Amino acid sequence: MAKADFNLSSVSSSFRAGRRSAAVTHAGIAIAVTLAFLAFHAVRAFPSLADSNGDNDSLLRLVQVRDLLAGQSWFDLTQYRMGLDGGFVMHWSRLIDLPIAGLVLLVGEQAALVIWPLLLLALSLFLMIRAADLIGGAPAVLPAVVTGALALHFVNVFLPGALDHHNAQLALALGAAYALMVGLRDGAASPGGAGGVAGVCAALMLAIGMEAAPYAAVACAVAAGCYLAGGDAPIRLARGFGLAFAGAAAASFVATVPSQDWLAVTCDALSLPQGALAVLGGGGLALATLVPVLRQTVWTRLGALAALGVIVALVAISAFPQCLADPYADLDPVLRQYWLSSVTEAQPLGALVRAGELGTIAGYYATPVIALTILALQAVRGRLTRETAVLFAFLAVAVAVSCWQVRGGVFSVTLAAIVLAAWIGRARTLALARPTVAAQLVMAASWIVSISLLWQLAGVVLEPGDATAATETETETEMAAAADATCYALADHAALAQLPAGTVLTISNLGSTVLHETAHRVLNGPYHRNNAGNRAALDILMVDPDAAATAARGLGIDYVALCPGNAETQALARWAPDGFLKALLDGATPDWLAVVEGTGTAPLRIFQVRR
């Protein structure tokens, strides 16, 4: 008997050692691929550091980090250089500012711009490889490396200079999903520990930004499902998740919300509603797993979950009803019409269909739909494992979010790559076992249809051409403007940076770049909390030049920056053909403005307000 026990222990130890060895190998692969990405950007002289390509959030994130390092309070998220006098409070979290600021102090700003997104890229790819290996075995590893790397490249949130929080939230979502998968694996060494890791990831996702709330919710649902299913390991996973989720949410609340605001309600950032519901839900789940009578049968577990759900819902509805409404309910109707409707990442699938953007639709929706179909077929055939069911839940939510707002595609494309890697792995195994032409074709097809970039290219090719109509409707000014730069290149703002500090009026898409590159303040930027500043800017740009003069002087505008080649400039000119911006675009400079010398034909044309 002792001999048998010894052998079983040896087998278990060998299995864990094999898993650790595979993890080291997978980490090495992820690092190698990340270094290849670094080399790719380096040989091109890091173009994303010189031209933001409209990534306003990354530019403003660095401005926020600079302000923090310059002495602005940790708890003060006001952006004083944007909006009306006094600025406005950003809805972002300091939890992302902290590691970036640390890197800036350690290696300098330019190196930090490269290191931070690539660290997150390496972590995300590692988690994708591990998840694919978990559900597909060794044959899925190579496909995971290829499809994973291409998916992470396609979603475009890991470029050098990408400081926006979406890349960190994606890495945390992958971490939560993988930890839950590990905790549900047969023979999991520490399901409670895996649940704890998932709970921390889910809480941090929520603390960093409310965009990740759906993915934190699905992680909570999976943990609750584990408790409902019963069994020692699933219940321990649920307990670990609940304790960690509640604890990490509470810690994030205390660490990022000033004590005088602990009772304040803000629906777009971590505050009392989110913190209270996370502690109540996570703590309630953990408590249910600790009470013996609530663990005994599926009916007692179901009753406990139902009671907890009712309590959480009653608290949310009675105490925080405003947070159950449209997240943009407070947005000015004019801004909703002329700004939000033009933000690509906030558009629903229906808007993309109506606009005929087949490239975007194919790139962001084809691989997730294929992956969902594969998982659905496995479920129908009774072949869906618990680990794969976790991916199914995360992917289904991500696809639903992407149908509401295209930004959800960042998560759905990435999660789909894991499922498709396992699918390709099975096709490879079959092709090796049965080297027939049919098997080879199936394997080749599985590779091809799993690449989002190829779907996007196919969609672009199939997009209907409308060159004749465009020629008939575009004015000469608009066609000339289309050939100009979009002014996202940082060098385009060099002349503006040389002028004495003042207040700049420009389109919202350039507000962050102006703050990043100059000492000026700007009236507007693409942020929903800057309601007053954005509305004031539109009221100047879209009224007649004489009325614009009165409004601009009343707000203390010192400079007007015009970028003819930017799509927002052209859109505003079309919407207000008799407005101030259209007059500037047509070359009709009013007498209350003077062209700054040397900028009359530059991509960014600068005018100084005459006093």
Side-chain angles (χ1 to χ4, degrees):
M1 191 67 181
K3 181 72 172 178
D5 289 341
F6 174 78
N7 288 339
L8 288 173
S9 176
S10 300
V11 170
S12 178
S13 299
S14 299
F15 176 76
R16 288 196 295 270
R19 296 296 300 176
R20 285 195 296 269
S21 176
V24 171
T25 300
H26 297 161
I29 294 171
I31 293 171
V33 172
T34 302
L35 292 176
F37 270 88
L38 174 62
F40 171 74
H41 295 300
V43 297
R44 300 167 62 231
F46 297 104
S48 58
L49 297 183
D51 190 328
S52 72
N53 197 30
D55 186 2
N56 296 288
D57 290 354
S58 292
L59 295 178
L60 193 62
R61 173 69 68 184
L62 185 56
V63 172
Q64 295 279 101
V65 169
R66 288 172 179 172
D67 293 343
L68 176 65
L69 293 175
Q72 187 165 325
S73 169
W74 168 266
F75 292 107
D76 183 6
L77 291 172
T78 305
Q79 182 42 250
Y80 292 98
R81 291 199 294 136
M82 183 177 284
L84 301 182
D85 286 341
F88 69 101
V89 180
M90 289 294 295
H91 63 289
W92 292 346
S93 171
R94 285 292 194 201
L95 293 178
I96 290 295
D97 293 345
L98 181 61
I100 298 171
L103 281 172
V104 170
L105 290 175
L106 186 64
V107 297
E109 186 174 282
Q110 288 299 300
L113 292 174
V114 176
I115 293 173
W116 175 246
L118 290 182
L119 282 176
L120 293 174
L121 171 67
L123 175 60
S124 299
L125 183 57
F126 170 72
L127 291 169
M128 294 174 74
I129 296 171
R130 294 295 290 163
D133 180 49
L134 197 63
I135 64 172
V141 170
L142 175 60
V145 174
V146 177
T147 62
L150 290 175
L152 295 175
H153 173 71
F154 174 80
V155 297
N156 207 36
V157 295
F158 295 98
L159 293 173
L163 304 184
D164 187 15
H165 51 259
H166 295 307
N167 48 21
Q169 287 177 316
L170 176 58
L172 288 168
L174 290 170
Y178 176 64
L180 289 170
M181 292 166 67
V182 169
L184 286 171
R185 183 186 58 197
D186 289 334
S190 178
V197 172
V200 170
C201 289
L204 290 179
M205 271 193 286
L206 200 63
I208 289 170
M210 291 302 107
E211 306 97 321
Y215 312 107
V218 73
C220 293
V222 170
C226 291
Y227 166 70
L228 180 61
D232 180 62
I235 287 180
R236 280 193 289 150
L237 184 149
R239 182 184 306 143
F241 180 93
L243 289 172
F245 184 65
S252 298
F253 178 86
V254 172
T256 59
V257 179
S259 57
Q260 66 269 22
D261 292 336
W262 281 1
L263 297 181
V265 175
T266 55
C267 301
D268 59 352
L270 181 64
S271 66
L272 179 62
Q274 300 85 355
L277 294 177
V279 170
L280 182 60
L285 177 62
L287 180 62
T289 68
L290 290 169
V291 178
V293 70
L294 297 180
R295 299 197 308 261
Q296 288 180 350
T297 69
V298 67
W299 296 110
T300 57
R301 294 192 295 271
L302 181 60
L305 283 180
L308 179 60
V310 168
I311 293 171
V312 171
L314 286 176
V315 171
I317 294 170
S318 61
F320 317 114
Q322 63 270 50
C323 293
L324 302 177
D326 179 357
Y328 296 110
D330 294 333
L331 191 65
D332 188 290
V334 173
L335 296 178
R336 186 182 292 271
Q337 178 181 358
Y338 293 115
W339 170 62
L340 188 62
S341 64
S342 300
V343 179
T344 300
E345 68 173 19
Q347 299 305 302
L349 175 59
L352 299 178
V353 173
R354 289 190 295 273
E357 297 186 26
L358 297 184
T360 301
I361 294 170
Y364 278 101
Y365 296 94
T367 55
V369 168
I370 294 171
L372 275 181
T373 303
I374 292 169
L375 295 177
L377 290 174
Q378 289 182 8
V380 169
R381 295 168 181 169
R383 298 177 183 174
L384 197 67
T385 64
R386 290 180 295 181
E387 298 93 326
T388 311
V390 172
L391 272 180
F392 200 171
F394 272 86
L395 180 57
V397 169
V399 170
V401 171
S402 68
C403 290
W404 173 52
Q405 288 190 336
V406 71
R407 76 178 74 188
V410 171
F411 292 82
S412 61
V413 168
T414 306
L415 290 164
I418 301 172
V419 178
L420 295 173
W423 181 49
I424 295 170
R426 288 193 294 272
R428 292 178 67 216
T429 301
L430 180 61
L432 290 173
R434 300 176 183 175
T436 63
V437 173
Q440 300 298 321
L441 290 175
V442 168
M443 181 182 68
S446 67
W447 276 105
I448 293 171
V449 302
S450 298
I451 308 301
S452 293
L453 284 170
L454 297 180
W455 280 104
Q456 185 180 45
L457 290 174
V460 169
V461 170
L462 294 175
E463 284 182 0
D466 199 20
T468 302
T471 302
E472 293 173 352
T473 58
E474 285 183 342
T475 66
E476 291 183 5
T477 301
E478 289 169 335
M479 288 189 291
D484 287 340
T486 57
C487 304
Y488 293 135
L490 303 185
D492 292 340
H493 298 257
L496 183 62
Q498 298 302 314
L499 299 174
T503 301
V504 179
L505 171 66
T506 186
I507 55 175
S508 66
N509 270 344
L510 296 182
S512 297
T513 314
V514 172
L515 294 193
H516 183 276
E517 287 300 296
T518 77
H520 303 303
R521 64 185 308 276
V522 293
L523 198 58
N524 57 335
Y527 303 101
H528 67 276
R529 282 198 179 183
N530 187 28
N531 233 345
N534 289 340
R535 176 61 193 269
L538 277 183
D539 286 344
I540 299 174
L541 295 171
M542 300 181 75
V543 298
D544 67 79
D546 291 336
T550 303
R553 286 174 171 147
L555 289 171
I557 301 298
D558 298 289
Y559 309 105
V560 176
L562 173 71
C563 183
N566 195 286
E568 185 182 351
T569 303
Q570 298 168 41
L572 290 175
R574 286 194 300 271
W575 289 331
D578 298 322
F580 164 57
L581 183 64
K582 181 61 164 65
L584 278 186
L585 195 58
D586 287 339
T589 305
D591 58 7
W592 57 278
L593 289 180
V595 180
V596 172
E597 184 178 356
T599 69
T601 58
L604 187 68
R605 301 169 192 178
I606 307 168
F607 304 84
Q608 189 161 10
V609 177
R610 299 181 192 272
R611 298 298 180 191

